[in-house]
Amino acid sequence: IPFRLEELGYERPSALVGWLLVAYSLGLVVATPPIAFLAEKYWSRQTPLILSLLLLIGSQVLFMEAKVYWLMCLARVIQGVSSAVVWVVAFSLLCDTVPEAQIGQQLGIVMSGLTLGFLVGPPIGGVLNDKLGYRSPFIFGIAFCALDLIGRLLIIEKDDAARWIAQGNAEEAQVGDGGENVTLSAKPRERSQLSVLKVIVRLGRSKRAFVAFVNVFIYGITFTVTEPTLPLRLADVYGFTSLKVGVIYLATVVPSLFSTPLAGWIGDRVGVEWVTIVCLLLSTPWWAVMAIRGPLALMVTSLALGDFFLAAVVTPITADLAAVGRELDGIGYAHVFGAFNFAYSCASAVGPLIGGQIYAHVTHGWTIIMGMTSGLILLSAFFAAYGAGERPIVDRLFRRPSKSQMPDANPAVAGESEAPQETNKAPDAEKGDQKNPEP
């Protein structure tokens, strides 16, 4: 994109590219609330996914043929709107379909796909641009969108599948050997009648949801604050070119491909509260180590380990939000993932601006950025200890379990324990007349 802007006669292309990132985030922020509201009130999951992909294809064509800067910004806003639908509705579709016990693992697989896209996209785009020209990366992206469109057209939503299964079971029962007719009740997905304001208030009252949104915001800032500053740091200290910077990104992103599904798998078995706080605490020191002006190996290792544990946090956070969508009346998956996307979009809009301004205008800016990042991650760990998961770490360590969680609170168990005592009273009563009972 910077080379394209230079060809069109624009000066300071790096600054213009930064505003293109802001335009994308603006589309995400503006579109997320209405999309979340409409997805729960009116739409199916399939329809918005198809419309968003058509918007994405149109925005790529517009960006590819744009000769003026404002059209490029408009294309980026449209891309942000399309991405908002994917972040909100696609996650809702996943949670509608996947069994509750496997949500964390499946969300981790989805997140690893996102990381894979970030990993292979830039090098493929660079090679296509160098070998085949400016339009070739866009054509490549449109071709992938066409394949994606086929998949979205083949989606069978859970409500439709349940009705078909129930109908099939009913037909099998009717032609049976005189047995009773058995039909499965296919309960349609409930549509939320809450307004946007009521949804926000209800989510804000949930400690679990509030902590998840705060951690998403912190994650968005820490993840994006290094986007404009890390390449400059590598160039200033180690003299790296853009190609070498890309190789460093490649080496550090690959480990996170495995951390997200692994975190989801562990979270389904031991609880998301443990995975969240452990990954945050293990990630914190490595960002502080990156402030040291030392060997390149130390820099790369610290970045890889910091990214590995930080990327793993997203999976338990999204699993926590899915649990909130199941627990709160009137709140659907689209609501909670819409709020997730809104928090991350706001953070991703301000993160690069904060990092760029500190690095450019403050002495020892890189050290300050790394110290700020470590502090934010540690703050996120404190929030997670207070409110992440079904039973947060603070509750486990310092608060007694409620009566419903205690073993003797079960009436059935209590009745069984008292029964033998009552049966033993009869022999004692029979021995009441004996003056010298047997010891």
Side-chain angles (χ1 to χ4, degrees):
I1 301 303
F3 302 108
R4 176 64 172 175
L5 292 172
E6 288 180 348
E7 291 177 2
L8 296 175
Y10 289 97
E11 298 179 355
R12 298 180 180 178
S14 58
L16 295 178
V17 170
W19 286 109
L20 288 176
L21 295 174
V22 174
Y24 174 81
S25 298
L26 179 63
L28 279 172
V29 171
V30 172
T32 295
I35 287 172
F37 175 74
L38 293 173
E40 286 297 332
K41 190 174 181 65
Y42 299 111
W43 292 352
S44 68
R45 306 304 193 202
Q46 184 183 39
T47 302
L49 287 173
I50 293 174
L51 294 178
S52 68
L53 195 60
L54 296 176
L55 275 179
L56 181 59
I57 293 174
S59 66
Q60 291 187 80
V61 174
L62 179 61
F63 202 111
M64 178 175 63
E65 299 298 334
K67 297 293 193 291
V68 292
Y69 182 69
W70 70 268
L71 276 180
M72 293 183 177
C73 291
L74 177 61
R76 290 292 290 169
V77 170
I78 297 174
Q79 289 176 6
V81 174
S82 174
S83 295
V85 176
V86 173
W87 278 98
V88 174
V89 181
F91 277 98
S92 302
L93 176 64
L94 176 67
C95 293
D96 287 339
T97 308
V98 174
E100 181 179 341
Q102 300 177 7
I103 282 182
Q105 181 179 356
Q106 298 302 319
L107 286 172
I109 295 174
V110 171
M111 288 299 177
S112 64
L114 178 67
T115 305
L116 181 63
F118 281 133
L119 179 65
V120 303
I124 290 178
V127 171
L128 291 175
N129 183 71
D130 291 339
K131 301 298 182 180
L132 301 176
Y134 169 74
R135 288 181 174 83
S136 58
F138 294 95
I139 296 174
F140 180 82
I142 293 171
F144 257 90
C145 287
L147 294 175
D148 193 1
L149 180 61
I150 296 174
R152 298 189 191 194
L153 289 172
L154 296 177
I155 289 176
I156 300 176
E157 296 195 50
K158 184 177 181 179
D159 294 345
D160 297 332
R163 283 192 291 269
W164 294 348
I165 292 173
Q167 183 178 0
N169 288 347
E171 292 176 355
E172 291 179 3
Q174 290 173 2
V175 298
D177 298 332
E180 296 181 358
N181 292 345
V182 180
T183 59
L184 295 178
S185 60
K187 182 180 178 181
R189 180 171 56 91
E190 296 180 359
R191 296 183 178 182
S192 174
Q193 302 299 323
L194 298 179
S195 64
V196 177
L197 180 60
K198 289 182 179 179
V199 169
I200 294 174
V201 172
R202 189 162 295 185
L203 287 175
R205 290 177 178 174
S206 170
K207 181 178 70 173
R208 196 172 184 179
F210 179 78
V211 169
F213 297 143
V214 171
N215 284 341
V216 167
F217 186 80
I218 294 176
Y219 169 82
I221 291 180
T222 55
F223 189 77
T224 59
V225 75
T226 58
E227 284 186 349
T229 56
L230 181 60
L232 298 176
R233 175 69 174 180
L234 292 174
D236 293 342
V237 177
Y238 305 104
F240 276 18
T241 62
S242 58
L243 178 60
K244 291 183 178 180
V245 171
V247 173
I248 295 298
Y249 270 111
L250 185 67
T252 56
V253 170
V254 167
S256 62
L257 287 173
F258 306 97
S259 65
T260 48
L262 182 62
W265 182 81
I266 296 175
D268 286 338
R269 283 153 179 79
V270 303
V272 297
E273 56 269 23
W274 293 106
V275 179
T276 304
I277 192 169
V278 168
C279 288
L280 287 170
L281 292 177
L282 290 177
S283 177
T284 300
W286 298 109
W287 299 93
V289 171
M290 277 191 284
I292 302 174
R293 193 184 182 99
L296 178 61
L298 179 64
M299 178 73 172
V300 174
T301 302
S302 302
L303 183 59
L305 291 174
D307 274 343
F308 177 85
F309 292 113
L310 185 61
V313 174
V314 184
T315 303
I317 289 177
T318 51
D320 236 2
L321 290 176
V324 171
R326 293 189 300 269
E327 294 171 356
L328 297 182
D329 294 335
I331 301 297
Y333 290 128
H335 291 145
V336 292
F337 286 114
F340 165 88
N341 190 48
F342 185 83
Y344 181 81
S345 301
C346 293
S348 64
V350 301
L353 297 178
I354 294 174
Q357 293 299 316
I358 292 177
Y359 192 87
H361 300 291
V362 179
T363 305
H364 304 295
W366 176 256
T367 302
I368 294 175
I369 291 173
M370 292 298 100
M372 181 186 69
T373 302
S374 297
L376 287 174
I377 297 175
L378 186 60
L379 178 64
S380 183
F382 281 113
F383 275 107
Y386 172 73
E390 183 177 359
R391 191 178 170 203
I393 303 299
V394 172
D395 291 351
R396 291 175 181 269
L397 297 179
F398 301 106
R399 297 179 184 177
R400 296 180 62 184
S402 61
K403 292 183 178 180
S404 61
Q405 295 173 332
M406 297 176 66
D408 58 354
N410 190 334
V413 176
E416 293 174 1
S417 62
E418 294 174 356
Q421 298 176 1
E422 295 177 356
T423 56
N424 291 335
K425 291 180 181 179
D428 294 341
E430 294 175 356
K431 297 178 182 180
D433 295 336
Q434 297 180 7
K435 294 182 180 179
N436 297 317
E438 195 173 336

